[in-house]
Amino acid sequence: MPATPTDVDAVVIGGGAAGLNGALMLARSRRSVVVIDGGDPRNAPAEGVHGLLGLDGTPPAELYARGGEEVRRYGGRVVTGEVVRAAPAEPAPGGDPRFAVALADGTTLHARRLLVATGLRDVLPAVPGLAAHWGHGVVHCPYCHGWEVRDEPIGVLAVGPASVHHALLFRQLTDDLVYFTRGTDLDADTRARFAARGIRVVDTGVTEVATAEDGGIAGVRLADGRLVPRRVLAVATTLWARTEGIGDLGLPTRDLPGGMGRHFATGMAGTTDVPGVWVAGNATDPMAQVGAAAAAGALAGAHINADLAAADTDAALARSLT
C-alpha cells in the first residue's frame, strides 16, 4: 500500500459517519483527503445502528468499515491514528489557509482545509454499577434503542429537567416504567402527568445498579435497602464534544442547556469562526443520529470542496496576472 500523502486538500479528524461521509464527498470531487480514525466511535457498544433507512440494524463497526472502503474506492485515505495537535500553519501566498496535523506516530500532515468530526463522549451519572451496562441494559436514546427494549420493565434515572421528556418517550415503549428522581425536582403538575400515564415515581435515593446472575440488570438498589426490579435503565448522559488534540484551532464552543454538556458552535454547513475549518456530526449536533450525522458530513464536505474551488480559481487568476 502506498504511503499516506502528507500534503493534501483536506484532513478529516474522525472516522465516524460524519467524517467518512464528508471524506466521500471530497474524494468523489477528486480532492486529496485523509481521514484520521481514532477507532473509538461513540456507538461502539451498540449491537446495531437503528433508524437508518436501508441499513437498520447494521453493526457500527461494519457500517464504518464499509464507509471506509467507499472512501478508498475514490482515492481517499483512511488511517488509524491519534491527532495530538492540529493547528493553523503559515497561510499560502494570498492568504489561503493552511494547517498542520501532528499524529501520535510522529507523522505530520499538511492540509488546506480541516473537517472536525470528532464526535462526543457520553458521561454517565456516578451511580455504582451503571457504567458496566452502558450500551446494553443502560440506554439513552428511545429512537436508537427503544424498539429493542420494548415491553421490558424500564427505569429512568433522572439527571434533571431533560429526564421528564425522556420518561414520556420511554413510556411509549413500555407499560412498566419507574422514574427515580435521584434528588431532582419534580413539580406537582409533572407528578400528575406521570400518574395519568401510569409512571411510578420513586423519590428514595439510589445507591447502585444491581447485576443479575445472567449478567444483565437486576434492578436499582435504593438507600433504604430495597431493590426495585428493572431490566433496562434509561439515562440522559452529559454530552461533551471531543476536543483532544484540536485545542490550538481555537474553535468556539457553546454550553448545552441545563448543564448537559458542551459542543462546537457552527453555522451553515458546519462552518466555524476559524477560516478553513468545518465541524460536522455529534461534535456540533449532539442529538444527531447516525443518518443525520452522515448527512451533515456530506454537506460540510461539499461546502469544503466549493471553498477549495473558489480558492483554486483565485490562485489561477493571480498567476495569470503576473
Side-chain angles (χ1 to χ4, degrees):
M1 180 179 294
T4 299
T6 56
D7 291 274
V8 295
D9 289 322
V11 166
V12 178
I13 304 175
L20 289 172
N21 221 0
L24 182 62
M25 295 294 280
L26 287 161
R28 282 178 50 82
S29 297
R30 306 191 75 176
R31 296 293 178 186
S32 54
V33 57
V34 176
V35 179
I36 309 302
D37 179 14
D40 182 25
R42 177 191 184 193
N43 59 0
E47 294 181 359
V49 171
H50 295 290
L52 185 59
L53 188 65
L55 294 169
D56 187 80
T58 304
E62 178 183 332
L63 181 68
Y64 300 142
R66 289 165 60 178
E69 286 304 311
E70 290 172 356
V71 171
R72 294 183 183 97
R73 185 186 308 162
Y74 296 102
R77 306 285 296 185
V78 181
V79 299
T80 300
E82 177 189 354
V83 173
V84 295
R85 185 173 185 262
E90 184 70 24
D96 195 47
R98 293 293 186 270
F99 301 91
V101 181
L103 307 185
D105 66 1
T107 302
T108 297
L109 306 178
H110 303 277
R112 301 173 64 192
R113 302 293 184 270
L114 294 182
L115 174 56
V116 173
T118 50
L120 57 80
R121 297 190 186 281
D122 293 278
V123 179
L124 292 163
V127 177
L130 184 67
H133 299 282
W134 173 241
H136 301 285
V138 174
V139 299
H140 73 292
C141 174
Y143 303 107
C144 304
H145 314 289
W147 177 264
E148 286 65 40
V149 301
R150 68 194 185 283
D151 297 327
E152 292 281 5
I154 299 176
V156 174
L157 296 181
V159 297
S163 297
V164 172
H165 177 62
H166 223 197
L168 296 178
L169 295 178
F170 275 95
R171 175 62 181 82
Q172 174 65 20
L173 301 164
T174 183
D175 293 331
D176 186 356
L177 185 68
V178 175
Y179 187 90
F180 300 90
T181 60
R182 297 184 60 248
T184 60
D185 292 332
L186 199 62
D187 59 37
D189 179 67
T190 302
R191 289 176 185 271
R193 292 170 65 83
F194 277 8
R197 290 288 281 147
I199 299 173
R200 177 185 166 198
V201 176
V202 173
D203 291 305
T204 307
V206 170
T207 59
E208 68 167 339
V209 174
T211 299
E213 291 184 1
D214 64 2
I217 294 173
V220 174
R221 183 77 62 186
L222 304 180
D224 60 11
R226 287 181 296 153
L227 180 71
V228 181
R230 298 288 91 186
R231 290 296 291 172
V232 175
L233 294 175
V235 59
T237 59
T238 305
L239 309 171
W240 295 101
R242 298 187 184 196
T243 61
E244 296 87 350
I246 58 175
D248 288 343
L249 293 175
L251 294 171
T253 60
R254 183 179 298 131
D255 289 338
L256 291 168
M260 292 305 295
R262 184 174 298 124
H263 64 114
F264 290 113
T266 58
M268 183 191 72
T271 54
T272 72
D273 290 346
V274 181
V277 182
W278 281 252
V279 182
N282 284 150
T284 182
D285 185 1
M287 302 303 173
Q289 291 181 263
V290 171
L299 182 59
H303 207 267
I304 292 170
N305 179 59
D307 188 62
L308 286 167
D312 291 341
T313 303
D314 290 344
L317 178 60
R319 289 193 298 271
S320 72
L321 296 176
T322 59

